[in-house]
Amino acid sequence: MALDIRTQALKQPVDVAEYLFTRLHQIGVRSVHGVPGDYNLVALDYLSKSNLKWVGSVNELNAAYAADGYARVKGISALITTFGVGELSAINGIAGAFSEHIPVVHIVGCPSTISQRNGMLLHHTLGNGDFNVFANMNTEISCALAKLNNPSEIADQIDHALRQCYIRSRPVYLLLPTDMVQKKIEGERLKQPIDLSEPKNEEEREDYVVDVVLKYLHNAKNPVILVDACAIRHRVLNEVHDLVNKTNLPVFVTPMGKGAVNENHPSYSGVYAGSGSLPEVMDRVDSADLILTIGALKSDFNTAGFSYRTSQLNTIDFHSTHCVVRYSEYPGVTMKGVLRKVIDRVDVNKISVQPGPKVVNDVARNTDQSPTVTQAWFWPRIGEYLREHDIVVTETGTANFGIWGTKFPNGTTALSQVLWGSIGWSVGACQGAALAARDSGRDRRTILFVGDGSLQLTVQEISTMIRHNLKVTIFVICNEGFTIERCIHGKEAVYNDISEWRWTDIPKVFGGTDNKVATHQVKTKEQLESLLSDKEFNAADKIHFVEVHMPKHDAPRALILTAEASAKVNARDS
């Protein structure tokens, strides 16, 4: 009777699942990734009622990777798994999203509150009556965690978690018991959108930091701008471009920041990763007397083994939670407001501009007389193939390091997983990115570069691409195994070898018909030139699966230098 009275008191009763999925739609999600399981099946029935499409991946890990890629393009994503076996299969992908600041809403269907309270011996559990163990595992990789057990609290829990997911740009975890899916909660509040506005800085503190920044910027003789991943993740790219346009200062990106800046802008000067950079780039940044770093994530692969030679005395760091000016830290003063005021108040007449290096796709300089496709030639040539607003996905391996040598057209979105570096991530991420582009209503090519070793881990996700008619282009770099691992250690070791697959047969195995998939085998520069110049191939109106053969031990210069630095770090004993 108490429940009936409570329901009658609601102005506009809606089921919990309908409320949750309506909120997801309101914040921009259009497709939901995941794998069905008996603890989430009833909830899945509500997706269509909220105008959400079910994707359905081949396994939870691939679904998590796909949700990661979707969020990088669309701004936020959702993943649904089942209790225990499903969520643990996805946990690596969620950990990667947390590591790299990606907003994923992870919804886990779980046993009923009654079953949990009684400690029942249910499937998908550890058999010990502990229903909190898997949620506890997720506490360290979620910025908010909510167990939706009490109808009077659920709406608040959902709204809070979704806001945290977006604002902090990290995964959240929602545990949805089977007996809560159809409970009634207040739907009247759905008329009021969740507030996703960025928190404002305290004005007096913000103004002080701006004054300090401007003092050093106006006095600098040789300042530069360095843009990193969190500038993308925490949505300050408008501020970045406004700052570059107003000051005309040379602007560099890190590997994780690739795609953050218009690389056709006159001020764009290349990829900076310490000793992994081109010599002219390293010299220019290392000699700067002031570096404005925006959204830095100074991991080993992002800095070529921590090889920055810059001093914190010459650095101003802008972050999503604080700012650091030389050795003075200002907690709680976030970069968005500070950057906007710096742009508004900077005196361009006091800015000393020393031009940076010019960046080109230097195909000619990297062309040799051999017909063999080399890493050095391939990546600049890809730069000529790309067009504006392409989405480029690169696996952490030869592809991620090779793409440093590719100058992007304007509007290119680059997806890579440099920090977490989970082998096979890029395949699922490509699926999610292509779907996000379609859900956004934009005609954008999605292009994946992945090694043969990496692709073998997650190749099944190609079947999801085919099923949803996603028109992606996949370049498989066939070089007989894990090249990045060979460069770090074990050049000829058997543990870096793989079985050789008949790659061009793969799409057919996964249901790809001739009208949906075209396959290509490339073994020479001439063959690749012909393909990259082909009008139908460039139109990308179906899946194009390209098998590109390269020498086993050939690797991009940046990978070789970074791998050497990584090997030294691994070998340290103190």
Side-chain angles (χ1 to χ4, degrees), residues 452-465:
D452 50 3
S454 298
L455 182 56
Q456 289 193 6
L457 273 75
T458 47
V459 68
Q460 316 98 306
E461 203 57 23
I462 292 175
S463 68
T464 309
M465 300 178 195

Side-chain angles (χ1 to χ4, degrees), residues 34 102 104 130 203 267 275 318 346 380 417 423 444 497 523:
I102 308 299
V104 178
D130 185 352
E203 188 168 0
S267 295
S275 62
F318 301 93
V346 66
Q417 200 191 49
I423 298 176
R444 305 181 70 184
D497 295 338
K523 294 187 175 181

Side-chain angles (χ1 to χ4, degrees), residues 16-319:
V16 166
E18 183 179 353
Y19 184 95
L20 172 57
F21 295 150
T22 300
R23 281 304 202 200
L24 288 178
H25 190 276
Q26 287 178 347
I27 63 175
V29 176
R30 294 296 178 267
S31 297
V32 176
H33 289 88
V35 175
D38 59 342
Y39 295 130
N40 65 31
L41 293 176
V42 175
L44 296 183
D45 290 336
Y46 285 79
L47 286 172
S48 59
K49 297 177 183 178
S50 302
N51 295 313
L52 295 175
K53 298 186 289 290
W54 173 247
V55 180
S57 293
V58 293
N59 59 53
E60 289 88 356
L61 177 59
N62 282 4
Y65 289 159
D68 180 312
Y70 188 97
R72 292 179 191 235
V73 173
K74 195 71 169 63
I76 197 165
S77 68
L79 168 71
I80 299 179
T81 61
T82 198
F83 187 73
V85 294
E87 59 179 305
L88 294 190
S89 291
I91 201 168
N92 173 37
I94 296 299
F98 184 88
S99 171
E100 301 229 343
H101 294 250
I102 308 299
V104 178
V105 181
H106 186 192
I107 302 161
V108 178
C110 69
S112 70
T113 56
I114 297 171
S115 298
Q116 294 184 51
R117 195 159 50 242
N118 293 335
M120 295 181 69
L121 190 62
L122 298 179
H123 62 286
H124 298 342
T125 72
L126 298 179
N128 60 1
D130 185 352
F131 289 87
N132 294 313
V133 61
F134 307 127
N136 291 342
M137 292 180 184
N138 279 274
T139 56
E140 296 297 325
I141 56 171
S142 306
C143 71
L145 186 149
K147 300 173 182 178
L148 308 181
N149 295 331
N150 187 341
S152 65
E153 301 173 353
I154 286 176
D156 281 331
Q157 288 177 303
I158 290 172
D159 290 1
H160 173 75
L162 298 187
R163 173 172 165 77
Q164 291 299 304
C165 184
Y166 182 82
I167 295 298
R168 297 174 64 180
S169 197
R170 277 186 156 151
V172 295
Y173 178 98
L174 299 177
L175 199 61
L176 178 59
T178 55
D179 60 336
M180 290 293 114
V181 171
Q182 296 178 305
K183 292 293 185 183
K184 299 295 183 181
I185 60 175
E186 183 57 76
E188 177 77 10
R189 60 190 291 162
L190 289 172
K191 296 178 182 178
Q192 181 66 36
I194 298 173
D195 179 14
L196 299 180
S197 61
E198 301 282 345
K200 301 293 185 184
N201 291 323
E202 182 184 327
E203 188 168 0
E204 188 173 292
R205 297 178 68 204
E206 181 179 83
D207 286 340
Y208 179 80
V209 174
V210 170
D211 288 342
V212 175
V213 170
L214 289 175
K215 181 184 74 171
Y216 288 113
L217 180 56
H218 289 153
N219 289 330
K221 303 301 182 186
N222 188 19
V224 300
I225 300 170
L226 178 62
V227 184
D228 210 334
C230 282
I232 304 170
R233 310 289 196 263
H234 293 280
R235 301 170 291 275
V236 295
L237 294 190
N238 286 337
E239 285 78 10
V240 166
H241 284 99
D242 287 350
L243 182 62
V244 173
N245 286 333
K246 187 166 185 180
T247 64
N248 293 312
L249 288 173
V251 58
F252 301 82
V253 296
T254 68
M256 289 183 72
K258 193 94 166 83
V261 174
N262 173 12
E263 298 189 6
N264 285 308
H265 193 285
S267 295
Y268 177 69
S269 301
V271 178
Y272 177 71
S275 62
S277 318
L278 291 174
E280 60 270 26
V281 171
M282 183 172 66
D283 291 345
R284 183 65 182 82
V285 177
D286 289 352
S287 65
D289 63 346
L290 182 66
I291 305 172
L292 305 179
T293 70
I294 304 175
L297 272 174
K298 297 178 182 178
S299 70
D300 52 354
F301 278 11
N302 204 33
T303 62
F306 308 111
S307 61
Y308 281 15
R309 297 176 184 173
T310 57
S311 168
Q312 187 63 42
L313 279 173
N314 295 335
T315 302
I316 297 176
D317 294 318
F318 301 93
H319 294 284

Side-chain angles (χ1 to χ4, degrees), residues 2-13 183-185:
L3 287 177
D4 291 339
I5 292 173
R6 193 194 65 81
T7 300
Q8 291 172 9
L10 298 174
K11 295 179 181 179
Q12 188 177 337
K183 292 293 185 183
K184 299 295 183 181
I185 60 175

